[in-house]
Each structure stands twice: as structure tokens, then as C-alpha cells.
Amino acid sequence: MVPLLLVLLLILILFGAGFAVKILWWIAIAVLVLWLIGFVARPKGSSGRWYRW
């Protein structure tokens, strides 16, 4: 019974990690798209940086 519970726990952990990694990939893609839009659509009169830092 204990090995079965351990296997089920391992499956749940791996499924959760896979789901979290997939969400992080989508967030990374969204940030990259926003960065590219900001890079292309930056104001012409500025010093070339559209971000504040």
C-alpha cells in the first residue's frame, strides 16, 4: 500500500511541476512579446530606452 501511495504522490508532483512549467513558459512568451512591442514602438524623441530602469 505504501509503494502505491508513493507512486501516486510522485505522479501528482510531476504533473503539478509540468503544469507549473507550462504556465511559466506562457508567461515568458507573453513578457517577450510585450518587450518586443515596447522595443519596436518606443518613442522617437527619447534616448532609446522605453523602460524606466
Coordinates of all heavy atoms in Angstrom, one line a residue:
M1 N 0.8 -1.2 0.0 CA 0.0 0.0 0.0 C 0.9 1.3 0.0 O 0.5 2.2 -0.7 CB -0.9 0.0 1.2 CG -1.9 1.1 1.3 SD -3.1 0.8 0.0 CE -4.1 2.2 0.2
V2 N 1.9 1.3 0.8 CA 2.8 2.4 0.8 C 3.5 2.7 -0.5 O 3.5 3.9 -0.9 CB 3.9 2.3 2.0 CG1 4.9 3.4 1.9 CG2 3.1 2.2 3.3
P3 N 4.0 1.7 -1.2 CA 4.6 2.0 -2.5 C 3.6 2.6 -3.5 O 3.9 3.5 -4.3 CB 5.1 0.7 -3.0 CG 5.4 -0.1 -1.8 CD 4.3 0.3 -0.8
L4 N 2.4 2.1 -3.4 CA 1.3 2.6 -4.3 C 1.1 4.1 -4.0 O 1.0 4.9 -4.9 CB 0.1 1.8 -4.2 CG -1.1 2.3 -5.0 CD1 -0.8 2.1 -6.5 CD2 -2.4 1.5 -4.7
L5 N 1.0 4.5 -2.7 CA 0.8 5.8 -2.4 C 2.0 6.7 -2.8 O 1.8 7.9 -3.2 CB 0.6 5.9 -0.8 CG -0.8 5.4 -0.4 CD1 -0.8 5.5 1.2 CD2 -1.9 6.2 -1.0
L6 N 3.2 6.2 -2.6 CA 4.4 6.9 -3.1 C 4.4 7.2 -4.6 O 4.7 8.3 -5.0 CB 5.7 6.2 -2.6 CG 6.0 6.2 -1.2 CD1 7.2 5.3 -0.9 CD2 6.2 7.6 -0.7
V7 N 4.0 6.2 -5.3 CA 3.9 6.3 -6.8 C 2.9 7.4 -7.2 O 3.1 8.2 -8.0 CB 3.6 5.0 -7.5 CG1 3.3 5.2 -8.9 CG2 4.8 4.1 -7.3
L8 N 1.7 7.3 -6.5 CA 0.7 8.3 -6.8 C 1.1 9.7 -6.4 O 0.8 10.7 -7.1 CB -0.6 7.9 -6.1 CG -1.4 6.7 -6.6 CD1 -2.6 6.4 -5.7 CD2 -1.8 6.9 -8.0
L9 N 1.8 9.8 -5.3 CA 2.3 11.1 -4.9 C 3.4 11.6 -5.9 O 3.4 12.8 -6.2 CB 2.9 11.0 -3.5 CG 3.5 12.3 -2.8 CD1 2.3 13.3 -2.6 CD2 4.2 12.0 -1.5
L10 N 4.2 10.8 -6.4 CA 5.2 11.1 -7.3 C 4.5 11.6 -8.6 O 4.9 12.6 -9.2 CB 6.1 10.0 -7.6 CG 7.3 10.2 -8.6 CD1 8.2 11.3 -8.1 CD2 8.0 9.0 -8.9
I11 N 3.5 10.9 -9.1 CA 2.8 11.3 -10.3 C 2.1 12.7 -10.1 O 2.2 13.5 -11.0 CB 1.7 10.2 -10.6 CG1 2.4 9.0 -11.1 CG2 0.7 10.7 -11.7 CD1 1.5 7.8 -11.3
L12 N 1.5 12.9 -8.9 CA 0.9 14.2 -8.7 C 2.0 15.3 -8.7 O 1.7 16.4 -9.2 CB 0.2 14.2 -7.3 CG -1.2 13.5 -7.3 CD1 -1.7 13.4 -5.9 CD2 -2.1 14.2 -8.2
I13 N 3.1 15.1 -8.1 CA 4.2 16.1 -8.0 C 4.7 16.4 -9.4 O 4.8 17.6 -9.8 CB 5.3 15.6 -7.1 CG1 4.9 15.7 -5.6 CG2 6.5 16.5 -7.3 CD1 5.8 15.1 -4.7
L14 N 4.9 15.3 -10.2 CA 5.4 15.6 -11.6 C 4.3 16.3 -12.4 O 4.7 17.1 -13.3 CB 5.8 14.2 -12.2 CG 7.1 13.6 -11.6 CD1 7.3 12.2 -12.2 CD2 8.3 14.5 -11.8
F15 N 3.1 15.9 -12.3 CA 2.0 16.6 -13.0 C 1.9 18.0 -12.6 O 1.8 18.9 -13.5 CB 0.7 15.9 -12.8 CG -0.5 16.6 -13.5 CD1 -0.6 16.5 -14.8 CD2 -1.3 17.4 -12.7 CE1 -1.7 17.1 -15.5 CE2 -2.4 18.0 -13.3 CZ -2.6 17.9 -14.7
G16 N 2.0 18.3 -11.3 CA 2.0 19.7 -10.9 C 3.2 20.5 -11.4 O 3.0 21.6 -11.8
A17 N 4.3 19.9 -11.4 CA 5.5 20.6 -11.9 C 5.4 20.8 -13.4 O 5.8 21.9 -13.8 CB 6.8 19.8 -11.5
G18 N 4.9 19.9 -14.1 CA 4.8 20.1 -15.5 C 3.8 21.2 -15.8 O 4.0 22.0 -16.7
F19 N 2.7 21.2 -15.1 CA 1.7 22.3 -15.3 C 2.3 23.6 -14.9 O 2.1 24.6 -15.7 CB 0.5 22.0 -14.4 CG -0.6 23.0 -14.6 CD1 -1.4 22.9 -15.8 CD2 -0.9 23.9 -13.7 CE1 -2.4 23.8 -16.0 CE2 -2.0 24.8 -13.9 CZ -2.7 24.8 -15.0
A20 N 3.1 23.7 -13.8 CA 3.7 25.0 -13.5 C 4.7 25.4 -14.5 O 4.8 26.6 -14.8 CB 4.4 24.8 -12.1
V21 N 5.5 24.5 -15.0 CA 6.5 24.8 -16.1 C 5.8 25.3 -17.3 O 6.2 26.3 -18.0 CB 7.4 23.6 -16.4 CG1 8.2 23.8 -17.6 CG2 8.3 23.4 -15.2
K22 N 4.6 24.7 -17.7 CA 3.9 25.2 -18.8 C 3.4 26.6 -18.6 O 3.5 27.4 -19.6 CB 2.7 24.2 -19.1 CG 2.0 24.4 -20.4 CD 1.0 23.4 -20.7 CE 0.4 23.6 -22.1 NZ -0.6 22.6 -22.4
I23 N 2.9 26.9 -17.5 CA 2.4 28.2 -17.2 C 3.5 29.2 -17.2 O 3.4 30.3 -17.8 CB 1.7 28.3 -15.8 CG1 0.4 27.5 -15.8 CG2 1.5 29.7 -15.3 CD1 -0.7 28.0 -16.6
L24 N 4.7 28.8 -16.7 CA 5.9 29.7 -16.8 C 6.3 30.0 -18.2 O 6.7 31.1 -18.5 CB 7.0 29.1 -15.9 CG 6.8 29.2 -14.4 CD1 8.0 28.5 -13.7 CD2 6.7 30.6 -13.9
W25 N 6.2 29.0 -19.1 CA 6.6 29.2 -20.5 C 5.6 30.2 -21.1 O 6.0 31.1 -21.9 CB 6.5 27.9 -21.2 CG 7.8 27.1 -21.2 CD1 8.1 26.0 -20.6 CD2 9.0 27.5 -21.9 NE1 9.4 25.6 -20.8 CE2 10.0 26.6 -21.6 CE3 9.3 28.6 -22.7 CZ2 11.3 26.6 -22.1 CZ3 10.6 28.7 -23.2 CH2 11.6 27.7 -22.9
W26 N 4.3 30.1 -20.8 CA 3.4 31.0 -21.4 C 3.6 32.5 -20.9 O 3.5 33.4 -21.6 CB 1.9 30.6 -21.1 CG 1.5 29.5 -22.0 CD1 1.2 28.2 -21.6 CD2 1.2 29.6 -23.4 NE1 0.8 27.5 -22.7 CE2 0.8 28.3 -23.8 CE3 1.3 30.6 -24.3 CZ2 0.5 28.0 -25.2 CZ3 1.0 30.3 -25.7 CH2 0.6 29.1 -26.1
I27 N 4.0 32.6 -19.6 CA 4.3 33.9 -19.0 C 5.5 34.5 -19.7 O 5.6 35.7 -20.0 CB 4.4 33.8 -17.5 CG1 3.1 33.5 -16.8 CG2 5.0 35.1 -16.9 CD1 3.2 33.2 -15.4
A28 N 6.5 33.6 -19.9 CA 7.8 34.1 -20.5 C 7.5 34.5 -22.0 O 8.1 35.5 -22.4 CB 8.8 33.0 -20.5
I29 N 6.7 33.8 -22.7 CA 6.3 34.2 -24.1 C 5.6 35.5 -24.1 O 5.9 36.4 -24.9 CB 5.5 33.1 -24.7 CG1 6.4 31.9 -25.0 CG2 4.9 33.6 -26.0 CD1 5.7 30.6 -25.5
A30 N 4.7 35.7 -23.1 CA 3.9 37.0 -23.1 C 4.8 38.1 -22.7 O 4.7 39.2 -23.3 CB 2.8 36.9 -22.0
V31 N 5.8 38.0 -21.8 CA 6.7 39.0 -21.5 C 7.6 39.3 -22.7 O 7.9 40.5 -23.0 CB 7.5 38.6 -20.2 CG1 8.7 39.6 -20.0 CG2 6.7 38.6 -19.0
L32 N 8.0 38.3 -23.4 CA 8.9 38.5 -24.6 C 8.1 39.3 -25.6 O 8.7 40.3 -26.2 CB 9.4 37.2 -25.1 CG 10.2 37.3 -26.4 CD1 11.5 38.0 -26.1 CD2 10.4 35.9 -27.0
V33 N 6.9 39.0 -25.9 CA 6.1 39.7 -26.8 C 5.9 41.2 -26.4 O 6.0 42.1 -27.2 CB 4.7 39.0 -27.0 CG1 3.7 39.9 -27.8 CG2 4.9 37.7 -27.8
L34 N 5.6 41.4 -25.1 CA 5.5 42.8 -24.7 C 6.8 43.6 -24.8 O 6.8 44.7 -25.1 CB 5.0 42.8 -23.2 CG 3.5 42.4 -23.0 CD1 3.3 42.3 -21.5 CD2 2.6 43.4 -23.6
W35 N 7.9 42.9 -24.5 CA 9.2 43.6 -24.6 C 9.5 43.9 -26.1 O 9.9 45.0 -26.4 CB 10.3 42.6 -24.1 CG 11.6 43.3 -24.2 CD1 12.2 44.2 -23.3 CD2 12.6 43.0 -25.2 NE1 13.4 44.5 -23.7 CE2 13.7 43.8 -24.8 CE3 12.7 42.2 -26.3 CZ2 14.9 43.8 -25.6 CZ3 13.8 42.1 -27.0 CH2 14.9 43.0 -26.7
L36 N 9.2 43.0 -27.0 CA 9.4 43.3 -28.4 C 8.5 44.4 -28.9 O 8.9 45.3 -29.7 CB 9.1 42.0 -29.3 CG 10.2 41.0 -29.1 CD1 9.8 39.7 -29.9 CD2 11.6 41.5 -29.6
I37 N 7.2 44.5 -28.5 CA 6.3 45.5 -28.8 C 6.9 46.9 -28.3 O 6.9 47.9 -29.0 CB 4.9 45.3 -28.3 CG1 4.3 44.1 -29.1 CG2 4.0 46.5 -28.4 CD1 3.0 43.7 -28.6
G38 N 7.3 46.9 -27.1 CA 7.9 48.1 -26.5 C 9.2 48.5 -27.2 O 9.4 49.7 -27.3
F39 N 9.9 47.6 -27.6 CA 11.2 47.9 -28.3 C 10.9 48.5 -29.7 O 11.5 49.4 -30.1 CB 12.0 46.6 -28.5 CG 13.4 46.8 -29.1 CD1 14.4 47.4 -28.4 CD2 13.6 46.5 -30.4 CE1 15.6 47.6 -28.9 CE2 14.8 46.7 -31.0 CZ 15.8 47.3 -30.3
V40 N 9.9 48.0 -30.4 CA 9.6 48.5 -31.7 C 8.8 49.8 -31.6 O 9.0 50.7 -32.4 CB 8.7 47.4 -32.5 CG1 8.2 48.0 -33.8 CG2 9.6 46.2 -32.8
A41 N 7.9 49.9 -30.7 CA 7.0 51.1 -30.6 C 7.6 52.1 -29.6 O 6.8 52.9 -29.0 CB 5.6 50.6 -30.2
R42 N 8.9 52.2 -29.4 CA 9.4 53.2 -28.5 C 9.3 54.6 -29.0 O 9.3 54.8 -30.3 CB 10.9 52.9 -28.1 CG 11.8 52.9 -29.3 CD 13.2 52.5 -28.9 NE 14.0 52.4 -30.1 CZ 15.1 51.8 -30.2 NH1 15.6 51.2 -29.1 NH2 15.8 51.7 -31.3
P43 N 9.3 55.6 -28.2 CA 9.2 57.0 -28.6 C 10.4 57.4 -29.4 O 11.5 57.0 -29.1 CB 9.0 57.8 -27.4 CG 8.7 56.8 -26.3 CD 9.2 55.5 -26.7
K44 N 10.2 58.2 -30.4 CA 11.3 58.6 -31.3 C 12.2 59.6 -30.6 O 13.4 59.7 -30.8 CB 10.8 59.2 -32.6 CG 10.0 58.2 -33.4 CD 10.8 57.0 -33.9 CE 10.0 56.0 -34.7 NZ 10.6 54.8 -34.8
G45 N 11.7 60.5 -29.8 CA 12.4 61.6 -29.2 C 13.2 61.2 -27.9 O 13.9 62.0 -27.4
S46 N 13.1 60.0 -27.5 CA 13.8 59.6 -26.2 C 15.2 59.1 -26.5 O 15.6 59.1 -27.6 CB 13.0 58.5 -25.5 OG 13.1 57.3 -26.3
S47 N 15.9 58.7 -25.5 CA 17.3 58.3 -25.6 C 17.4 56.9 -26.1 O 18.5 56.3 -26.1 CB 18.0 58.5 -24.3 OG 17.4 57.6 -23.3
G48 N 16.3 56.3 -26.4 CA 16.3 54.9 -27.0 C 15.9 53.9 -26.0 O 15.6 52.7 -26.4
R49 N 15.7 54.2 -24.7 CA 15.2 53.3 -23.7 C 13.7 53.6 -23.4 O 13.4 54.7 -23.1 CB 16.0 53.4 -22.4 CG 17.4 52.9 -22.5 CD 18.1 52.8 -21.2 NE 17.4 53.5 -20.2 CZ 18.1 54.1 -19.1 NH1 19.4 53.9 -19.0 NH2 17.4 54.7 -18.2
W50 N 12.9 52.6 -23.5 CA 11.4 52.8 -23.2 C 11.1 52.3 -21.9 O 10.0 52.6 -21.4 CB 10.6 52.1 -24.3 CG 10.8 50.6 -24.3 CD1 11.7 50.0 -25.0 CD2 10.1 49.6 -23.6 NE1 11.7 48.6 -24.8 CE2 10.7 48.3 -23.9 CE3 9.1 49.6 -22.6 CZ2 10.3 47.2 -23.4 CZ3 8.7 48.4 -22.1 CH2 9.2 47.2 -22.5
Y51 N 12.0 51.6 -21.2 CA 11.7 51.2 -19.8 C 12.4 52.2 -18.8 O 13.2 53.0 -19.2 CB 12.3 49.8 -19.6 CG 13.7 49.5 -20.1 CD1 14.7 49.8 -19.4 CD2 13.9 49.0 -21.4 CE1 16.0 49.6 -19.8 CE2 15.1 48.8 -21.9 CZ 16.2 49.1 -21.1 OH 17.5 48.9 -21.6
R52 N 12.1 52.0 -17.6 CA 12.5 53.0 -16.6 C 13.8 52.7 -15.9 O 14.4 53.6 -15.3 CB 11.4 53.2 -15.5 CG 10.1 53.8 -16.1 CD 9.2 54.1 -15.0 NE 8.0 54.7 -15.5 CZ 7.7 56.0 -15.5 NH1 8.5 56.8 -14.9 NH2 6.6 56.4 -16.0
W53 N 14.2 51.5 -15.8 CA 15.4 51.2 -15.0 C 16.7 51.4 -15.8 O 16.8 51.6 -16.9 CB 15.4 49.8 -14.5 CG 15.3 48.7 -15.5 CD1 16.3 48.2 -16.2 CD2 14.2 48.0 -15.9 NE1 15.9 47.2 -17.1 CE2 14.6 47.0 -16.9 CE3 12.8 48.0 -15.5 CZ2 13.7 46.2 -17.5 CZ3 12.0 47.1 -16.1 CH2 12.4 46.2 -17.1

